[in-house]
Amino acid sequence: MNSLFALIPIAFVLSLDNLQSSIGLGTTQPPWRRIVQAALVFSACDALAPLIGVWAGNVLGEYIGDAAEYAGAAALGAYALYLVVHSMRTQETKE
C-alpha cells in the first residue's frame, strides 16, 4: 500500500500536462460532447503509456540482463539532462 501512496504525487505531476492542454481546449468553448471525448482520449493515453512502458522495460530488462537497472537509471538521467538543456536553450531564445 505504501507504493501506491508514493505513486500519487508522481501521477499528479504527470497529469499537469493534460490540465494545461485542457485549459487551452477550454478557451475554445467546446460543447460537452467534445469535452467528454477529450477526457476519454486523454485518459486512455494516460492509462496505456505506463502499461506499454512497463512492458517494454521488462522486455528490455530481460534482454540486457544484470545491467538493466543501471541502463534504466542512465536513460532516465540522460532524458532529464536533455530536458534541462532544452529548457535552458528555449528560455535563452525567448529573451
Side-chain angles (χ1 to χ4, degrees):
M1 190 60 137
N2 288 338
S3 62
L4 175 64
F5 290 122
L7 288 175
I8 291 173
I10 296 170
F12 176 75
V13 170
L14 292 175
S15 69
L16 290 177
D17 61 336
N18 282 343
L19 176 65
Q20 292 171 344
S21 300
S22 298
I23 290 171
L25 181 62
T27 61
T28 65
Q29 299 178 343
W32 277 103
R33 181 181 170 126
R34 179 64 66 191
I35 293 169
V36 171
Q37 287 174 341
L40 291 173
V41 169
F42 288 3
S43 298
C45 290
D46 276 348
L48 288 175
L51 292 174
I52 293 169
V54 169
W55 173 79
N58 282 333
V59 170
L60 288 172
E62 288 178 12
Y63 179 73
I64 295 172
D66 292 336
E69 286 185 44
Y70 299 109
L76 284 174
Y79 183 62
L81 182 62
Y82 163 77
L83 290 176
V84 169
V85 170
H86 179 69
S87 173
M88 291 171 62
R89 286 184 178 173
T90 302
Q91 287 178 356
E92 289 175 4
T93 57
K94 287 182 181 179
E95 294 175 356

